[in-house]
Amino acid sequence: MKTLLVSGCSWTDPNFESVHHPEMDTSWKKWPEILAEKLELNLVNVAWSGSGNQYIYTSLLDKIVELDVNDIALVIAGWSKGCRSDFEQDGLRKNIMHDNRGDVDYFIKRNLRYFYSLQTVCAYHNLPLKHFHMLHPYNNPEVNLLDGMKTTLSNHYQDKFHDNFIGFTGEPQLGGWTMHDLLQQTDFISEIDRHPNKKGQEKIAGILHENI
């Protein structure tokens, strides 16, 4: 059986636990497992709660190098927020939830580089790829990002992405969407925990299945 290779943040992590509701059993199937069953594929899910796009990109790259590419049927990246940064220290994975070492323009360009690089690597290996914004890529309530996004996209990457990037640019005012945008209130765990519940995970799997 061939493999579905997936990475993402807490919305994709098979071991997700609610910080706001630590007593809650969150062992329901996450969207990668549901989708793998629909596609009749083996699942390799390397998602990690709190991760940024640096981790998502490198974790997929590491697995593409490690596995036999002939056994990979599909690669999916559920991209996270652009302001997060990831690193390793003493063999442990660590992350910064809001990295202040850079401005908005830098975060926009850095993440577009990850997106384009993953697309290029998958094309080189003839690997089918689907990627999308799970969360808003550059969400910052203190900054109006539209002008910066328009400038960066038009100057560098607007025409570089294929149809395999679902919902590009991730910004509704620029014609894109995030998975977060497509969920309803009843798809989240609670008012304070804005992670998808069992119903939300099933909905995400259904949306992706329709777009593959």
Side-chain angles (χ1 to χ4, degrees), residues 87-106:
F87 62 99
E88 294 183 12
Q89 185 174 350
D90 298 326
L92 298 176
R93 296 178 299 185
K94 299 185 178 183
N95 68 291
I96 300 172
M97 294 298 286
H98 195 116
D99 194 348
N100 294 318
R101 299 171 301 177
D103 59 15
V104 170
D105 183 62
Y106 166 68

Side-chain angles (χ1 to χ4, degrees), residues 32-92:
E33 184 177 357
I34 300 169
L35 184 60
E37 291 176 354
K38 289 178 179 289
L39 299 175
E40 298 183 340
L41 295 173
N42 175 54
L43 175 63
V44 174
N45 183 356
V46 291
W48 178 43
S49 291
S51 66
N53 294 330
Q54 182 177 0
Y55 170 80
I56 295 171
Y57 168 73
T58 54
S59 63
L60 289 172
L61 185 64
D62 287 348
K63 282 298 178 182
I64 289 171
V65 171
E66 175 186 336
L67 301 174
D68 184 342
V69 293
N70 295 312
D71 291 336
I72 301 174
L74 178 62
V75 178
I76 300 182
W79 299 113
S80 186
K81 293 183 178 180
C83 60
R84 296 180 180 179
S85 291
D86 310 278
F87 62 99
E88 294 183 12
Q89 185 174 350
D90 298 326
L92 298 176

Side-chain angles (χ1 to χ4, degrees), residues 83-152:
C83 60
R84 296 180 180 179
S85 291
D86 310 278
F87 62 99
E88 294 183 12
Q89 185 174 350
D90 298 326
L92 298 176
R93 296 178 299 185
K94 299 185 178 183
N95 68 291
I96 300 172
M97 294 298 286
H98 195 116
D99 194 348
N100 294 318
R101 299 171 301 177
D103 59 15
V104 170
D105 183 62
Y106 166 68
F107 290 138
I108 291 173
K109 289 187 287 189
R110 181 180 70 171
N111 286 280
L112 289 169
R113 291 165 185 152
Y114 289 141
F115 307 159
Y116 184 65
S117 180
L118 180 62
Q119 177 179 277
T120 303
V121 169
C122 287
Y124 175 80
H125 289 290
N126 294 316
L127 292 174
L129 168 68
K130 291 290 182 180
H131 49 159
F132 62 97
H133 291 290
M134 185 69 80
L135 306 176
H136 191 283
Y138 315 110
N139 190 18
N140 185 337
E142 299 176 357
V143 180
N144 183 344
L145 302 176
L146 289 180
D147 289 341
M149 289 180 68
K150 288 177 182 177
T151 300
T152 302

Side-chain angles (χ1 to χ4, degrees), residues 141-211:
E142 299 176 357
V143 180
N144 183 344
L145 302 176
L146 289 180
D147 289 341
M149 289 180 68
K150 288 177 182 177
T151 300
T152 302
L153 290 170
S154 63
N155 288 348
H156 300 283
Y157 291 99
Q158 179 65 62
D159 301 321
K160 299 298 183 183
F161 293 104
H162 304 156
D163 292 340
N164 56 21
F165 201 121
I166 309 168
F168 187 75
T169 62
E171 170 52 61
Q173 296 186 63
L174 295 179
W177 53 263
T178 72
M179 194 62 72
H180 184 277
D181 297 328
L182 303 185
L183 298 189
Q184 306 298 318
Q185 177 59 41
T186 56
D187 298 322
F188 296 106
I189 289 176
S190 70
E191 288 282 352
I192 59 174
D193 192 331
R194 307 300 289 175
H195 288 87
N197 55 24
K198 180 177 183 292
K199 178 184 174 184
Q201 291 287 349
E202 292 170 350
K203 186 171 183 177
I204 294 171
I207 292 170
L208 292 174
H209 191 239
E210 292 174 357
N211 282 275

